[in-house]
């Protein structure tokens, strides 16, 4: 498949997921959004399922790039940048509708091993990124020496997932969840002296 | 509707959600599980949607009872009991399959105001229960005096939602999430002297 066709199809899938959600999505919807005939789409992908797997793979590649090098002068700032990047969507995205579609895909994961494997890759990469920032921060004294990077990384990744699900399911603003996360960093990860500075 | 018929239908709905998930669920599936004819089921409920709303209402009543009075000698123990109750399912339940169906319903909430209102009630009741335990614990000195009950309650509720979603979507064990939560309570909510005791 030419790179142009691939991009068109993947962009079309993104738009179609936003418009129709996952459950109701058809190959025709994707073809329409991609500006292709349904036959042309089927030339590249046998079915919606295969196409969605490729789409998740592309999304994962973009995700890896987004989390690779969060800006910040020290590990605490880098951690906050990373969480902000993952919790808040890029400005040109339509966060709510696309996230809703992703939550639908997550709800299908227990029924579908290939979806599940892909979702695990996101989780593993994100948790590992958090872990390495925490480990660097414990090492250089930014974070408390009793912070356990493995456990704290899982805790933070779980929290971020909760914030995203809650935003989709009951509309809790992501800014509120982000602000509560900042308090967690201050009261749990930073040394007591740094806590006093914020008061 | 007689209380017996209501119970049969609600129990049937619970079983049918476990077996079929939400998306694929039909009135016939529910009638089969409830031991009723489809006509008898339609006599009580116009459609699957109405039935599901009643089911969520019953679930909410049970949830309110489960979280009303978590056991424990002090607010810290009560908080841990509460989180354990909500995070881990009752022993006679089939946690994974039923939770998967609930996540499917959550993923539909953005498309359906009546689902969303009901899910918000669960969230509000749970967050308020956490908040009142935290407030009591700050008051009696169990928790650190700089814990802000409102913000910490939202943070904890978000974390619990993340743990449940993660368990369904990528299989993270709930016991691991619970153990990370205990560390959070020790390092963030309990006074520094109590932290030292655990080391």
């Amino acid at each position: 498949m030419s790179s142009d066709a691939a991009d068109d199809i993947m962009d079309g899938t993104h738009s179609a997921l936003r418009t129709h959600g996952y459950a109701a999505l058809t190959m025709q919807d994707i073809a329409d959004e991609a500006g292709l005939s349904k036959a042309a789409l089927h030339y590249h992908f046998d079915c919606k399922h295969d196409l969605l797997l490729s789409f998740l793979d592309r999304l994962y590649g973009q995700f890896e790039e987004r989390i690779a090098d969060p800006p910040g002068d020290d590990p605490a700032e880098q951690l906050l940048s990373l969480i902000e990047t993952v919790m808040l969507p890029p400005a040109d995205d339509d966060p709510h509708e696309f996230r809703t579609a992703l939550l639908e895909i997550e709800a299908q994961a227990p029924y579908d091993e290939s979806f599940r494997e892909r979702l695990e890759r996101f989780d593993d990469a994100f948790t590992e990124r958090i872990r390495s920032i925490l480990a660097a921060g414990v090492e250089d004294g930014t974070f408390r020496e009793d912070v356990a990077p493995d456990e704290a990384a899982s805790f933070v990744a779980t929290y971020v997932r909760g914030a995203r699900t809650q935003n989709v399911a009951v509309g809790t603003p992501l800014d509120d969840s982000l602000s509560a996360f900042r308090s967690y960093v201050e009261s749990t990860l930073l040394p007591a002296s740094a806590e006093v500075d914020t008061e």
Side-chain angles (χ1 to χ4, degrees), chain A:
Chain A
M1 168 164 42
S2 76
S3 161
D4 279 359
D7 284 350
D8 287 348
I9 293 173
M10 292 298 141
D11 291 345
T13 305
H14 194 269
S15 306
L17 279 170
R18 281 165 53 172
T19 310
H20 303 281
Y22 168 72
L25 190 70
T26 65
M27 288 290 267
Q28 185 65 59
D29 295 330
I30 298 169
D32 290 346
E33 294 281 350
L36 292 171
S37 70
K38 201 174 151 191
L41 190 59
H42 274 290
Y43 176 80
H44 296 296
F45 294 101
D46 280 344
C47 59
K48 173 177 135 181
H49 186 256
D50 284 358
L51 196 161
L52 262 295
L53 291 182
S54 283
F55 181 73
L56 286 176
D57 287 341
R58 190 177 78 147
L59 218 53
Y60 178 75
Q62 294 168 342
F63 182 75
E64 264 192 316
E65 276 176 37
R66 272 171 65 202
I67 69 172
D69 190 19
D73 289 337
D74 65 33
E77 285 183 15
Q78 288 161 10
L79 180 64
L80 287 170
S81 306
L82 174 67
I83 300 309
E84 199 165 324
T85 298
V86 172
M87 208 184 276
L88 305 178
D92 61 346
D93 204 345
D94 183 336
H96 200 71
E97 292 165 13
F98 185 61
R99 263 143 204 249
T100 300
L102 284 186
L103 186 61
E104 286 186 89
I105 292 175
E106 290 185 349
Q108 291 308 310
Y111 306 115
D112 188 317
E113 187 59 31
S114 49
F115 275 176
R116 191 182 182 112
E117 274 170 20
R118 271 148 182 99
L119 295 177
E120 280 172 7
R121 287 173 68 200
F122 284 85
D123 245 53
D124 290 348
F126 182 42
T127 306
E128 172 51 29
R129 201 71 207 81
I130 301 168
R131 197 204 59 74
S132 68
I133 293 175
L134 289 173
V138 170
E139 182 74 24
D140 77 2
T142 303
F143 297 128
R144 285 161 41 165
E145 61 182 8
D146 64 351
V147 169
D150 279 337
E151 191 180 63
S154 298
F155 185 84
V156 169
T158 299
Y159 177 76
V160 172
R161 181 182 284 281
R164 296 179 60 171
T165 306
Q166 207 152 24
N167 175 253
V168 171
V170 297
T172 310
L174 289 165
D175 282 336
D176 290 0
S177 300
L178 197 56
S179 139
F181 178 73
R182 286 200 193 93
S183 300
Y184 162 79
V185 171
E186 282 166 16
S187 61
T188 309
L189 302 181
L190 296 181
S193 57
E195 283 169 32
V196 173
D197 286 349
T198 67
E199 282 172 1

